[in-house]
Structures are given as C-alpha cells and as structure tokens.
C-alpha cells in the first residue's frame, strides 16, 4: 500500500501537468486509504503537497507571462485569511463527536471525510460538464469585489477543511467575477492555490508534529509528476482527458461515502 501511495503521488503531479488542475483532489484519499494517515493529518500534509506542486506550476506560468497578479492578490487575501483561521482555530476547536443521527455517530474524522467526498463530487461535476464559452483576451478585466470577498472566504474554509486546492471553484470565479480569459484564469488560479495552501499549512505547523522526511518525498514525487505531465501534454490532449478523470473522481467520491458510512 505504501508503494501504491507513492505511485499515486506521481500520478497527482502528472494529472496536474496534463489538465492543469484536479489532481490535488486525489491527495487526501491517497494519504488516508493507501498510507493510513489520520484525516486531520492528511489534510494538513495535502496543503503542503498541493501548495508546493501548484507553486511549481505557478512559477512556470509567471515566467511565461500568463499570471494576472492584481487578480491573484484580490482573490488570495480573503482566501488565505480564511484557510489559516480554519487550520489554526476552527479545526482544533471541533469536538471529537460532531453529532449523532439515530444510531450513527458522526465523529470529527468521519465528518471530514464525508465533507471531502462531497467536494470530490462537486469537483467531478465541474470537470465532466462541457466548458462554457471562453472569454476573449480583449475583454476588459472588471472586479465584483463583494462576491470576490465571499468566494475567497468560502474557498479558504473549504481548502482549510479538506486540504484540496479548490481550483474547480477558483477558476469559474476568476472567469465570472473578474472576467479573466480561461487560460489566464487557469494560470492565475495556481498562484492563488499555492499561496493559500502554504499559508494554511503554517497554521498546522504550530498544532502537530510534521514528518518532514515523508512529506518531502511525497511532494518531490508529485512535483516530478508535473514535469512528466507537461511533457506528455505534447502528445496527449489534456482537455479530452479531463472528463474521463472527472468520472474517476466521481466514482471515488461515491466510494468514500459508501466506505465511511457502511
């Protein structure tokens, strides 16, 4: 199972390199089911893995001039505050038993995995459904500040709880709320994901002992996978793979719900 987990870390990076996002949604299931980590620890490690891997992609996009820095800052500020507060204060404050339904006890661990599976289902739907018409590069960038604030806080809380990057929420928001062209939205989202994920992880460093050896190895494999995925992108159309990957994430989300409840 350890070998499967490390192979999976490479696959996460390859998927990110091929389709530009979505691969991070696999990180927590791999850490929990293949490597037997506690869900709270898994979400913390996922923040570092996702943040570092996204940062590599973001730097590549920055060099290519694809990142809109003003938009990244506007979106990142509420998101990073929310994700840090979630990891440093909200999660530690949650009781071990959240609530009970009939004879079913919903523990903190179970609640995190069920919430994560719901996020997986939403991410899967966003990857499966056809993309809306892309905004042209010539369209002027405008900002809906109140909605951006709400969206940033929401994405930050979700990222803080489940440890995933939330690109499936950020990219549509950049397109709809900032009128960013799709290619710029994808590139800019990686920088936002990197910033808020790594800031969120700082909230965990103060709360738990980190196995830096394991975390460095897992993250290094994921980063190597990104470069493999970028190379494979020359031969494989990542866009065509996105829907197929979405179906896989959908079935994994359903499997997690079934496994945790039944």
């Amino acid at each position: 199972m350890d070998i499967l987990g490390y192979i999976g870390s490479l696959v996460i990076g390859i998927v990110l390199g091929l389709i530009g996002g979505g691969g991070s949604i696999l990180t927590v299931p791999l850490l929990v089911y293949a490597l037997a980590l506690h869900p709270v620890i898994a979400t913390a490690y996922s923040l570092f893995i996702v943040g570092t891997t996204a940062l590599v992609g973001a730097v590549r996009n920055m060099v290519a001039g694809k990142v809109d820095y003003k938009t990244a800052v506007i979106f990142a500020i509420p998101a990073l505050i929310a994700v840090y507060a979630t990891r440093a204060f909200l999660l530690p404050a949650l009781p071990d038993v959240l609530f009970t339904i009939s004879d079913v006890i919903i523990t903190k661990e179970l609640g995190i995995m069920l919430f994560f599976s719901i996020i997986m289902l939403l991410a899967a739907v966003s990857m499966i459904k056809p993309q809306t018409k892309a905004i042209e590069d010539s369209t002027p960038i405008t900002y809906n500040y109140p909605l951006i604030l709400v969206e940033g806080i929401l994405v930050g809380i979700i990222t803080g709880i489940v440890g995933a990057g939330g690109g499936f929420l950020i990219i549509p928001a950049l397109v709809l709320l900032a009128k960013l062209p799709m290619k710029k939205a994808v590139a800019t989202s990686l920088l936002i994901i990197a910033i808020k994920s790594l800031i969120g992880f700082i909230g965990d460093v103060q709360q738990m002992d980190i196995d830096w050896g394991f975390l460095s190895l897992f993250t290094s494999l994921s980063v190597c996978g990104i470069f493999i995925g970028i190379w494979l992108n020359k031969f494989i159309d990542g866009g065509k793979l996105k829907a197929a990957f979405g179906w896989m994430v959908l079935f994994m989300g359903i499997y997690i719900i079934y496994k945790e409840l039944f």
Side-chain angles (χ1 to χ4, degrees):
M1 291 299 290
D2 286 354
I3 294 174
L4 179 63
Y6 288 120
I7 292 173
S9 68
L10 193 66
V11 171
I12 290 168
I14 291 173
V15 171
L16 284 169
L18 272 173
I19 68 176
S24 63
I25 204 76
L26 300 177
T27 309
V28 170
L30 273 172
L31 294 173
V32 171
Y33 298 120
L35 298 170
L37 294 184
H38 188 279
V40 174
I41 297 174
T43 55
Y45 284 14
S46 178
L47 286 173
F48 182 82
I49 295 162
V50 169
T52 305
T53 307
L55 184 60
V56 172
V59 169
R60 180 173 174 269
N61 288 326
M62 290 160 69
V63 171
K66 297 179 181 179
V67 175
D68 188 287
Y69 295 100
K70 181 180 177 181
T71 304
V73 170
I74 291 171
F75 270 77
I77 288 175
L80 68 87
I81 293 172
V83 72
Y84 178 84
T86 300
R87 297 303 302 188
F89 305 111
L90 177 59
L91 275 184
L94 291 177
D96 291 334
V97 177
L98 299 177
F99 55 89
T100 59
I101 303 176
S102 297
D103 295 330
V104 180
I105 300 174
I106 306 298
T107 63
K108 180 178 180 178
E109 178 180 343
L110 176 59
I112 288 173
M113 293 311 297
L114 290 178
F115 184 67
F116 183 83
S117 63
I118 293 171
I119 298 301
M120 287 187 76
L121 297 181
L122 293 174
V125 170
S126 74
M127 286 185 278
I128 292 169
K129 70 179 183 181
Q131 289 186 355
T132 56
K133 185 179 179 182
I135 294 173
E136 300 295 332
D137 290 340
S138 58
T139 302
I141 297 174
T142 57
Y143 301 101
N144 188 326
Y145 290 103
L147 284 178
I148 287 173
L149 176 64
V150 173
E151 172 83 13
I153 293 172
L154 176 64
V155 171
I157 293 172
I158 291 174
T159 299
I161 293 174
V162 306
F168 75 99
L169 291 171
I170 296 173
I171 293 172
L174 293 177
V175 172
L176 297 174
L177 302 182
K179 301 295 186 284
L180 226 59
M182 181 59 73
K183 289 183 180 179
K184 270 199 171 183
V186 172
T188 305
S189 74
L190 283 177
L191 182 58
I192 297 170
I193 289 168
I195 294 171
K196 68 185 179 63
S197 297
L198 293 174
I199 290 292
F201 179 73
I202 292 173
D204 288 299
V205 173
Q206 306 166 7
Q207 305 286 340
M208 62 181 68
D209 294 326
I210 308 295
D211 185 346
W212 288 105
F214 164 77
L215 193 54
S216 298
L217 176 58
F218 198 99
T219 304
S220 298
L221 289 171
S222 181
V223 170
C224 289
I226 268 197
F227 290 107
I228 295 172
I230 291 170
W231 176 75
L232 289 175
N233 223 346
K234 300 175 183 178
F235 313 102
I236 303 172
D237 184 356
K240 293 180 179 179
L241 291 177
K242 193 172 184 179
F245 180 72
W247 283 107
M248 186 183 79
V249 172
L250 180 67
F251 288 123
M252 284 185 64
I254 293 171
Y255 168 77
I256 290 174
I257 292 174
Y258 173 79
K259 181 176 176 60
E260 294 296 331
L261 289 180
F262 305 106

